[in-house]
């Protein structure tokens, strides 16, 4: 009996030893599985550095320089209004987006019997008071060079647009009797030249307004003018020249508008070349 008890104890001890060995092996296997699982999760979860890289690789703004006083909602609306092919075109330019009340660029202001141009509440408010006289407001942009492609655009908060009233961009402005403009109405665009006080319609056609705001851009390039409305190309006009540095906004007789911001740009390589020259 004593011998049997010894065998039973020995067998029990052997079982305990085997159980402890199995437990240690199971613990090692469990730790290994945790390490593998952690590595897999780490490879799937973006680190801070990866998140930064992803942000850097996201959609780049077409505006290289932006006035910080511009309402972020306006900038977002502008970005959304641009078609993808137009964004590709703008990326080739060094575009600057400027608040209308930026003191660096002085807009013409007046209030007389013919019309009114006034900076008020962060907008340029333009109004024509006469049935036969449009109203204009311009600013000088020294970056313009007649021999280099150039973009100019305006973003309007609101405007009177119907079959008879329109709003548009004025360029090559010398004075109120000599300038060029392209206006949009409800269904049409109209490119005009005013020389010595006489306005002539050079070209007109249909327009597609799109769904967002009133955003207009002209591109002067190689003796041609390309006109874009709300991110869509609307017209190409041949044999267009421009020498004056003044660009701006025009409303048709008895028309009104509020300008929120404007933009202009030169080809990126031209801007970089001028910058490197100024640094040397």
């Amino acid at each position: 009996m004593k011998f049997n008890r010894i065998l039973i104890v020995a067998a029990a001890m052997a079982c305990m030893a085997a159980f402890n060995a199995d437990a240690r092996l199971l613990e090692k296997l469990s730790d290994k599985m945790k390490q593998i699982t952690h590595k897999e999760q780490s490879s799937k979860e973006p680190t801070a550095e990866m998140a930064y890289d992803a942000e850097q690789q996201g959609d780049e703004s077409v505006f290289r320089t932006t006035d910080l006083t511009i309402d972020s909602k306006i900038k977002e609306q502008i970005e959304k209004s641009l078609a993808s092919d137009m964004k590709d075109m703008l990326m080739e330019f060094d575009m600057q987006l400027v608040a209308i009340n930026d003191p660096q660029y002085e807009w013409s202001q007046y209030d007389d019997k013919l019309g009114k141009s006034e900076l008020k509440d962060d907008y340029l408010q333009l109004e024509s008071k006469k049935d036969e006289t449009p109203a204009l407001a311009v600013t000088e942009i020294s970056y313009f060079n007649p021999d280099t492609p150039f973009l100019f655009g305006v973003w309007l908060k609101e405007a009177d647009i119907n079959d008879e009233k329109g709003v548009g961009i004025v360029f090559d402005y010398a004075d109120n009797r000599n300038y060029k403009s392209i206006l949009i109405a409800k269904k049409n665009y109209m490119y005009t030249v005013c020389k010595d006080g006489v306005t002539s319609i050079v070209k007109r056609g249909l327009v597609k307004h799109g769904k967002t705001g009133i955003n207009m851009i002209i591109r002067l390039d190689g003796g041609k003018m390309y006109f874009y409305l709300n991110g869509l190309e609307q017209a190409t006009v041949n044999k267009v020249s421009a020498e004056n540095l003044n660009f701006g906004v025009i409303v048709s007789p008895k028309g009104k508008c509020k300008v929120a911001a404007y933009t202009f740009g030169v080809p990126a390589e031209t801007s970089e070349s001028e910058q490197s020259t100024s640094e040397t």
Side-chain angles (χ1 to χ4, degrees), residues 226-240:
Y226 304 86
F227 175 60
Y228 306 86
L229 174 63
N230 294 336
L232 301 174
E233 183 173 348
Q234 305 285 336
T236 300
V237 184
N238 297 318
K239 298 180 180 180
V240 176

Side-chain angles (χ1 to χ4, degrees), residues 9-259:
V9 171
M13 292 178 64
C15 289
M16 287 297 297
F19 175 81
N20 290 334
D22 291 340
R24 287 193 296 270
L25 179 59
L26 183 61
E27 183 178 1
K28 289 181 179 180
L29 290 173
S30 178
D31 291 341
K32 188 66 175 177
M33 289 299 296
K34 288 180 181 179
Q35 292 176 3
I36 294 173
T37 303
H38 177 71
K39 288 182 179 180
E40 289 179 347
Q41 291 177 343
S42 299
S43 63
K44 294 179 181 179
E45 295 174 358
T47 62
E49 183 178 357
M50 291 170 64
Y52 174 80
D53 291 341
E55 182 179 354
Q56 293 299 100
Q57 295 172 1
D59 292 338
E60 183 181 357
S61 172
V62 298
F63 302 108
R64 308 294 175 88
T65 306
T66 302
D67 188 323
L68 297 180
T69 62
I70 293 178
D71 190 325
S72 59
K73 292 182 179 179
I74 294 177
K75 183 175 183 296
E76 182 180 358
Q77 176 189 350
I78 293 171
E79 294 276 8
K80 287 183 177 180
S81 72
L82 302 176
S84 59
D85 55 344
M86 187 175 183
K87 285 185 178 182
D88 292 340
M89 185 268 290
L90 293 179
M91 290 299 293
E92 299 176 2
F93 286 74
D94 182 7
M95 299 299 299
Q96 299 194 42
L97 179 62
V98 188
I100 196 67
N101 59 352
D102 187 326
Q104 182 179 356
Y105 301 95
E106 183 178 354
W107 282 79
S108 56
Q109 297 186 67
Y110 55 88
D111 188 357
D112 55 33
K113 63 181 182 180
L114 298 179
K116 179 180 180 180
S117 172
E118 179 184 17
L119 283 172
K120 185 178 181 180
D121 299 330
D122 298 330
Y123 296 100
L124 177 70
Q125 301 185 20
L126 184 62
E127 176 185 1
S128 167
K129 299 179 181 179
K130 290 291 184 178
D131 289 332
E132 298 179 356
T133 306
L136 304 89
V138 297
T139 186
E140 180 180 305
I141 301 180
S142 60
Y143 289 89
F144 172 68
N145 183 338
D147 301 322
T148 302
F150 187 76
L151 291 177
F152 176 80
V154 293
W155 278 265
L156 309 182
K157 177 179 174 59
E158 57 187 55
D160 282 345
I161 295 180
N162 53 39
D163 291 334
E164 298 179 354
K165 296 179 183 179
V167 62
I169 290 176
V170 59
F171 64 100
D172 197 25
Y173 174 92
D175 53 47
N176 281 350
R177 294 172 54 85
N178 295 276
Y179 59 85
K180 299 178 177 74
S181 68
I182 185 161
L183 294 93
I184 60 164
K186 185 177 181 180
K187 298 179 181 179
N188 306 291
Y189 74 84
M190 182 171 60
Y191 170 61
T192 67
V193 175
C194 182
K195 185 175 182 180
D196 298 329
V198 179
T199 300
S200 302
I201 299 175
V202 179
K203 187 175 182 178
R204 64 195 310 171
L206 298 175
V207 293
K208 297 179 181 179
H209 281 264
K211 299 180 180 180
T212 56
I214 308 170
N215 310 324
M216 296 176 287
I217 291 180
I218 61 170
R219 174 163 63 101
L220 301 174
D221 189 350
K224 296 182 179 182
M225 182 195 67
Y226 304 86
F227 175 60
Y228 306 86
L229 174 63
N230 294 336
L232 301 174
E233 183 173 348
Q234 305 285 336
T236 300
V237 184
N238 297 318
K239 298 180 180 180
V240 176
S241 62
E243 298 179 356
N244 294 285
L245 304 178
N246 297 312
F247 292 76
V249 186
I250 181 172
V251 293
S252 59
K254 301 295 288 185
K256 296 180 181 180
C257 77
K258 282 186 178 182
V259 187

